[in-house]
Amino acid sequence: MKRANIEECVLAWIAEGVDAPADEKRFDELALALFRHQYEHGEAYQRLCAAENRNPSNVEHWTEIPSVPTGAFKRARLATFPVEREVRTFRSSGSSSAERGELHLDTLELYDASLLATFGAYICCASDPLRFLVLAPSSRDAPESSLSYMFDRAGHEFGRGAPSFYIDAGGWDAEQTIADLEKLAEPAAVVGTAFSFVHLLDELASREIRLALPEGSRVMETGGFKGRSRELSRAELHASIEAGLGVPVSRIVNQYGMCELASQFYEATLRTGEPTHAKSVPPWVRTRVLDPATFTDVSPGETGVLVHYDLANTGSVLAVQTSDLGRRLDSGFEMLGRLAGAEERGCSIAADALLGSR
Amino acid sequence: MREFAAAEKIDRLDRALSLWRAPKSPWLARLAERHGGFSPEVVSLGVTRGLEGWTRDSLERLHERELDRPCWVPAETAVWLAGSVPTATFAALLLPLLAGSAVLAKPSSADPVTPELFTDSLAEAGLAGAVRICGEDEALREADCVVAYGNDATIEAVRRRAPARVFVGYGHKLSLAAIGPEVSVEQAARDLALDLALWDGRGCLSPAYALVLDEPAGRAESLAGALAQSLEHTQEVLPRGALAPAEELEIRERRSFAALRPDGLLFMSGNSTAWTVAYDPSGPLPSPGALRFARVVGVRNLAELAERCRELQPTLSSIGHCGWGEREAEIATIAASSGASRVCALGRMQLPPIDWNHDGMSPLRPMLRFTDIEGSESKAR
């Protein structure tokens, strides 16, 4: 099957929405076809597969497709097309370009389709167009940020009017954010990074302001704190948002995504009205929870490393291994945080840190 | 410890070490069973081989060499332990005792067992109370000398908390193997595999790199292949210990980085992370190997070997070598110019003698304060 045919099939599946059956045979056929394409056209990926002695002739099920650690996206161009066809590159956050993972795209069609299908289903929930207030830079200010792209794209697709972005190169415009929040008269989607919400909440507290956003408003937060603000548990953050913005926790959603994946994962809180820790997996994606030692699936409920298989990742690699810990639930998976750094290794670790970037 | 005459002190320390060296030593059996960080096989062989040379004679020689003049000896030395290598813990506790100081031992979180058992063995040898295991506050409050092992940040933090004391810090280091052309690749691979397997690459004496003279061309690659076979065999007799989940993932990630290099070769254990050999034909040094992830790097000549060693300054600890024939003296010169504190035969990297100048420092003297006694004025004239 050619890539164009695979993409056509994946787009058709995405068009059926997040409630479409997660048909196993359908996924397996598409994943194996996509693996063949990525193996044949991705030089770097082929080398990774060769190291594991895997190739399209001996991979018979999607679970056997070699996964690529997110760190590898920092080391090699994992793309199945030449550089000149690139239309967009998303880069993970990091202190220098050498430390940033890159997702190269020669088309945004699948990326957009997956993004809009999940954002629409889990955040907008068929509501009337919402006012979008974004605690993140716009994609014009942060063209390499997949998160800014998502907010921009979703805001224009589902929003009433253009989305408002409150962070740019000059920093966060607290005055404007709070002024806009205070004068909201109709339901809004307030979206942004978790640490930006902490800054907003701290600012509101310092001004002794407690907001009550219009009924029907919702909040989506994503990402960790990475030392950019004080750290809160997810439950504490949501409780603080409820107290500070007047949005009940039943309308606050955590999203989990990464630069290396085209698809994202959401809690179904807004769809069910019940807060949940479970991240829903769209039908065109699979998430496995693996034992780090054996790389076999752990039993349901047990903790392991998350590995995602995303059919919307057509131009790079579909199987991405994270350093995130999680556990499988009936309705998806629960994200439990990132694996802490490797245990101290006697007296060799500092030198390792010293040279680790090589 | 000050109440013991030198001979008595050495006698009792030797008695304690003998308990561990004895055939079928119950102390060693207990450590192998309880340690947890390494397989019992690794603990047994590592300790047995490691203590072989720590004889009464070697203790006497060291004592005589280091305490050759009147000096102040700390009454109590706080020893801040790091990592999980038992023989490193033995040495860290033994040396202050040999100097005549009691020890307040602050165990590392990775290995609370070795200091406990070693302390008990000292008691059985007539040195009850010579080592007291305690928390960091107590250790720092009471000791008049502090010896700290660990990463550089830990050393600095302990140093700041121990003002106005004698302070000795052993920060992080790494070691490498240097393999010349005058040895079979099979023999070199066997010796290197042993150095990699003992303590699972967790210590500063583990070869983080194997620099191989690629003479004739292709020899370094052959050695990488032979090392893969040796590590596979070694895994059967000296299984690697369990890794933390983050370490497992780190190995998988490093394997993928190695596989991405178009000019490299990667050999690895199937269905596990037990061992890995990544071969780099040349170029800048990759990240160091650890946890039985071996880095074999080709070098074209001794000048390139020297350059690679200098790149590791000031973190280079030991160089294990073999196959240099008449060029062996040049390895010693390279080691000295790159700040390495030890050159030894390959296969013996994990077996430092007790009188080794760890990090280039005398084993006992940094804890002591010597009194220089000059001749009287009249004699001087």
Side-chain angles (χ1 to χ4, degrees), chain A residues 346-347, chain B residues 35 38 82-90 111 114 199 202-204 350:
Chain A
C347 42
Chain B
H35 189 285
F38 304 108
S84 55
V85 176
T87 45
T89 295
F90 286 1
D111 178 19
T114 305
W199 313 129
R202 289 184 182 275
C204 56
Q350 304 289 359

Side-chain angles (χ1 to χ4, degrees), chain B residues 35-106:
Chain B
H35 189 285
F38 304 108
S39 68
E41 292 87 345
V42 164
V43 172
S44 294
L45 187 69
V47 171
T48 302
R49 297 284 311 277
L51 299 188
E52 267 171 6
W54 299 9
T55 59
R56 183 190 171 87
D57 282 353
S58 67
L59 296 178
E60 277 173 351
R61 276 199 307 275
L62 176 59
H63 190 275
E64 197 175 327
R65 183 184 89 192
E66 302 272 299
L67 287 105
D68 60 346
R69 282 170 287 153
C71 64
W72 171 87
V73 176
E76 285 188 316
T77 298
V79 177
W80 217 267
L81 296 162
S84 55
V85 176
T87 45
T89 295
F90 286 1
L93 300 178
L94 188 70
L95 292 171
L97 298 174
L98 184 63
S101 171
V103 169
L104 301 169
K106 207 290 279 178

Side-chain angles (χ1 to χ4, degrees), chain A residues 13 20-29 62 283-284 286 311:
Chain A
W13 203 349
D23 185 86
E24 182 65 12
K25 187 165 175 286
R26 188 180 184 183
F27 187 89
D28 193 38
E29 283 173 3
W62 67 266
W284 54 92
R286 293 290 183 274
L311 294 179

Side-chain angles (χ1 to χ4, degrees), chain A residues 13 22 27 62 114 118 261-265 280-287 307-313 318 333:
Chain A
W13 203 349
F27 187 89
W62 67 266
S114 184
T118 51
L261 283 183
S263 300
Q264 297 86 34
F265 306 90
S280 301
V281 181
W284 54 92
V285 181
R286 293 290 183 274
T287 295
V307 180
H308 307 292
Y309 299 75
D310 185 358
L311 294 179
N313 263 29
L318 80 143
F333 65 89

Side-chain angles (χ1 to χ4, degrees), chain A residues 167-226:
Chain A
I167 296 174
D168 60 20
W172 173 45
D173 189 344
E175 295 299 330
Q176 193 63 52
T177 311
I178 293 170
D180 286 358
L181 285 168
E182 280 181 318
K183 66 182 183 213
L184 272 176
E186 51 216 325
V190 187
V191 298
T193 54
F195 66 83
S196 64
F197 274 99
V198 174
H199 289 306
L200 171 62
L201 294 167
D202 287 348
E203 191 65 31
L204 290 171
S206 73
R207 299 178 189 206
E208 298 182 349
I209 296 172
R210 286 170 80 92
L211 298 168
L213 300 193
E215 195 175 337
S217 294
R218 62 215 61 200
V219 165
M220 190 212 95
E221 53 82 17
T222 185
F225 301 93
K226 291 183 182 172

Side-chain angles (χ1 to χ4, degrees), chain B residues 342-354:
Chain B
R342 179 171 163 247
V343 175
C344 65
L346 196 64
R348 296 194 58 82
M349 293 184 71
Q350 304 289 359
L351 316 174
I354 191 66

Side-chain angles (χ1 to χ4, degrees), chain A residues 44 47-48 51 69 71-72 75-76 292-293 295 305 321 339-340 342-352 355 358, chain B residues 83 151 172-174 202 204 209 245-250 252-254 256-257 259-260 266 268 285 288 290-291 312 315:
Chain A
R47 286 200 295 273
L48 286 173
R75 298 289 179 114
F295 251 48
V305 172
Q321 175 208 313
L339 258 177
E343 226 173 37
E344 192 166 302
R345 198 175 305 125
C347 42
S348 66
I349 196 165
D352 186 49
L355 301 164
R358 287 179 178 168
Chain B
N151 65 43
H172 279 311
K173 299 282 180 188
L174 57 70
R202 289 184 182 275
C204 56
Y209 301 97
E247 292 174 328
E248 292 278 1
L249 280 196
E250 188 180 324
R252 289 181 190 277
E253 190 163 81
R254 282 171 172 233
S256 74
F257 294 166
L260 284 170
L266 182 65
M268 55 194 192
L285 286 175
L291 307 171
L312 298 171
T315 53

